[in-house]
Amino acid sequence: MNAPHPAKVAGIDSTVPSPAHTVAPATPGASPATAPNATDAAEATAAPGAPCAPGALLQDRLAGWVSDLTTLHELTERLARRDSLSEGLQEVLRAGAALVGARRGLVVLEPADGLGPDTTVGLGLARADLGHIETVPRSALSYGRILDGLPVGADGITEPDLFAGKNLDPRHREIAARLGYAASYALPLSAEDTGTIGTTGATETTTGTTGRLGAAVWLYDEPAEPGERQRHLAGLYARYAAQHLARLLEVERTRACMATMAEELLPSRLPRVPGVQLAARHRTGPRGGGDWYDALPLPDAALGLAVGSVTGSGPSAVAAMGRLRASLRAYAVMEGEDPVAVLSDLELLLRLTEPARSATALFGYCEPALRRITLAGAGHSPPLLIGERRTEFVETSVSAPLGMLACWEAPSVEFQAEPGETVLLYTDGLLHRTGDPADRAFARLHAAAAAVPRAERHDPDAVAEHVLRTVLPDGKADADSEEDVVLLAVRFE
């Protein structure tokens, strides 16, 4: 009782095969035998002239439902594996295009609460194409009517032949002809307060984002429209997709909030001090981390340099990082010429105010006129000295992180740079993100610093960028990670 291969819709073969049984679903409260189109569907699937056996219609209908549920399960499972908002939007477009038999489409994300982010993502449409569509008056577009809150049927908005309509906006007609689409099908994306997922009967409570999220529209290359079954499946998928997108939206907002808060707790700009040039790089994880850096002018034309890391991640670690950095700045102004005293005071503060937390730190008292740095470290990786004739780690004393011992103490070291040399301070996240053992990670960092092109060594910004991209190639520097990364480059003139 298999149906023939489904016909193309708008000249496109659906990437998700239609179920072998394509009987229309029964209306609520109607028996299978009296459901709309049941007789026609039975006749379509039976051999000509053959009588319909008792129960065959019900079996055919159940087989069609199982096939539809299997398709929806595969698509929703694929969507559930997307853990970023941009990937989720792209997956919704691809799945929807497969369900309704379209080749192109776009999702307009515009949450009703006004908190953003507002964005438009296209499938088979370049950024310039999306820009052209955005020049059409909003009220003339099907998704524009959805976003404006106008009444929309349960099956969305179908425009089977745009050019046949007499009331088509002239700008819309021009853009549709330029981009080569002749029909469209739009669905709202709205998240509910709760939703029942799967067949277990368990109810999931969604995040705080409810109501309208945006709208999705798929474009046909020629006059066409999705069938009743296609609209039904697309509507079911869109309802689930909206719930998942709402969760991804909350994650995206949290990430943006954490990144903004972390950046605000770090220097908004580096100071200008005669004799040195400064540059910094900072990458934070999705939950926010506790790595920081600082460079502050001190009395007698000196400069305080600091990098550090607080254990943990999330809002508490970010807040602790801000408190520790602010305290270090105060201690540096009072007794910066003695880095050991600065870290001793910081350790005492950490032990008294946050006994359950530890931190690593590196503080240097820099005298630019003498190209000299007096340095003290607490469980932190040593700086790297990069010059024309040498690339080497600065030898520092072995010490424990702050908050690990009853009383922290470690001697300071003093070293002098040559004109044109750069001192690179960094946090352990740079090494941890490589995924290599400690010795290999240090070797990779040393090799990256030694390979800085000669033409770029006069620019600390270029040095920091080269080291970051060489130690963490293939996008690892910008990918989400639990490890923060901080680099502070100091070049002596």
Side-chain angles (χ1 to χ4, degrees):
M1 296 178 63
N2 288 342
H5 187 278
K8 293 182 179 180
V9 179
I12 304 157
D13 281 315
S14 173
T15 58
V16 175
S18 298
H21 303 78
T22 56
V23 179
T27 56
S31 65
T34 59
N37 300 323
T39 303
D40 294 340
E43 292 176 354
T45 57
C52 183
L57 181 62
L58 179 59
Q59 182 179 1
D60 188 76
R61 187 182 305 280
L62 290 175
W65 287 343
V66 169
S67 179
D68 289 346
L69 289 174
T70 301
T71 299
L72 285 176
H73 175 74
E74 292 175 354
L75 294 176
T76 54
E77 282 290 305
R78 194 184 306 168
L79 177 61
R81 291 193 291 269
R82 309 303 177 188
D83 56 4
S84 72
L85 185 59
S86 59
E87 292 179 350
L89 293 174
Q90 286 288 350
E91 182 59 38
V92 168
L93 277 176
R94 287 191 292 266
L99 289 173
V100 303
R103 184 172 63 89
R104 293 180 291 174
L106 64 150
V107 167
V108 181
L109 189 68
E110 192 176 293
D113 58 14
L115 300 179
D118 295 348
T119 186
T120 301
V121 177
L123 174 68
L125 297 170
R127 175 53 58 182
D129 298 335
L130 297 177
H132 288 315
I133 294 176
E134 289 174 351
T135 64
V136 178
R138 185 181 176 109
S139 59
L141 296 168
S142 55
Y143 72 81
R145 297 195 290 274
I146 293 174
L147 296 177
D148 288 340
L150 298 179
V152 178
D155 290 341
I157 300 178
T158 303
E159 295 177 313
D161 191 347
L162 290 171
F163 298 106
K166 298 180 180 180
N167 298 324
L168 184 64
D169 183 85
R171 180 59 178 170
H172 193 188
R173 182 184 299 274
E174 176 187 348
I175 295 303
R178 176 183 298 182
L179 299 183
Y181 65 88
S184 68
Y185 175 62
L187 276 175
L189 297 173
S190 299
E192 304 296 334
D193 292 335
T194 58
T196 302
I197 308 301
T199 59
T200 62
T203 300
E204 288 188 1
T205 301
T206 63
T207 58
T209 303
T210 57
R212 190 203 68 218
L213 300 178
V217 58
W218 291 275
L219 307 175
Y220 297 99
D221 295 345
E222 58 189 53
E225 64 178 308
E228 180 183 354
R229 170 186 160 272
Q230 290 175 309
R231 293 196 300 271
H232 178 68
L233 291 180
L236 291 175
Y237 178 80
R239 285 195 286 275
Y240 171 81
Q243 302 293 339
H244 187 68
L245 290 177
R247 291 188 283 269
L248 294 180
L249 179 61
E250 285 300 311
V251 172
E252 186 75 13
R253 287 176 175 178
T254 301
R255 289 180 177 180
C257 181
M258 293 303 304
T260 300
M261 187 169 67
E263 292 297 332
E264 289 296 324
L265 292 174
L266 295 173
S268 57
R269 61 180 179 178
L270 294 171
R272 294 184 178 181
V273 178
V276 295
Q277 295 175 293
L278 302 172
R281 290 291 184 276
H282 178 231
R283 301 289 187 272
T284 187
R287 298 183 60 226
D291 286 18
W292 87 88
Y293 67 92
D294 209 347
L296 67 155
L298 297 175
D300 301 325
L303 180 67
L305 304 170
V307 292
S309 177
V310 174
T311 56
S313 61
S316 63
V318 174
M321 175 266 286
R323 291 191 293 268
L324 225 61
R325 174 179 169 265
S327 302
L328 185 141
R329 290 175 69 92
Y331 297 144
V333 170
M334 293 186 293
E335 46 193 4
E337 68 280 357
D338 185 357
V340 172
V342 172
L343 292 188
S344 296
D345 292 343
L346 194 64
E347 194 275 338
L348 178 61
L349 176 71
L350 184 68
R351 183 153 45 89
L352 293 176
T353 59
E354 301 188 54
R357 194 180 296 276
S358 63
T360 65
L362 195 69
F363 178 75
Y365 180 77
C366 176
E367 299 170 273
L370 301 176
R371 299 189 303 279
R372 183 170 62 196
I373 296 180
T374 305
L375 190 73
H380 208 84
S381 300
L384 188 59
L385 192 59
I386 307 170
E388 293 290 340
R389 294 184 295 273
R390 60 175 176 172
T391 300
E392 59 188 32
F393 290 101
V394 177
E395 293 188 7
T396 57
S397 57
V398 178
S399 59
L402 303 175
M404 296 291 289
L405 302 177
C407 182
W408 177 87
E409 183 68 30
S412 62
V413 297
E414 184 179 292
F415 67 96
Q416 192 162 7
E418 298 296 328
E421 289 188 329
T422 299
V423 178
L424 186 67
L425 289 76
Y426 54 93
T427 57
D428 293 342
L430 178 65
L431 306 175
H432 294 162
R433 278 203 187 195
T434 64
D436 293 336
D439 56 342
R440 293 182 60 185
F442 276 113
R444 178 182 289 192
L445 174 59
H446 184 277
V452 175
R454 187 179 299 272
E456 296 180 0
R457 298 200 172 202
H458 68 282
D459 182 4
D461 194 77
V463 171
E465 187 67 21
H466 175 88
V467 170
L468 180 65
R469 301 298 175 184
T470 306
V471 175
L472 301 174
D474 303 326
K476 289 183 180 179
D478 298 317
D480 286 345
S481 172
E482 294 299 322
E483 299 289 343
D484 283 11
V485 175
V486 163
L487 286 87
L488 179 61
V490 185
R491 181 183 182 273
F492 290 91
E493 297 176 350

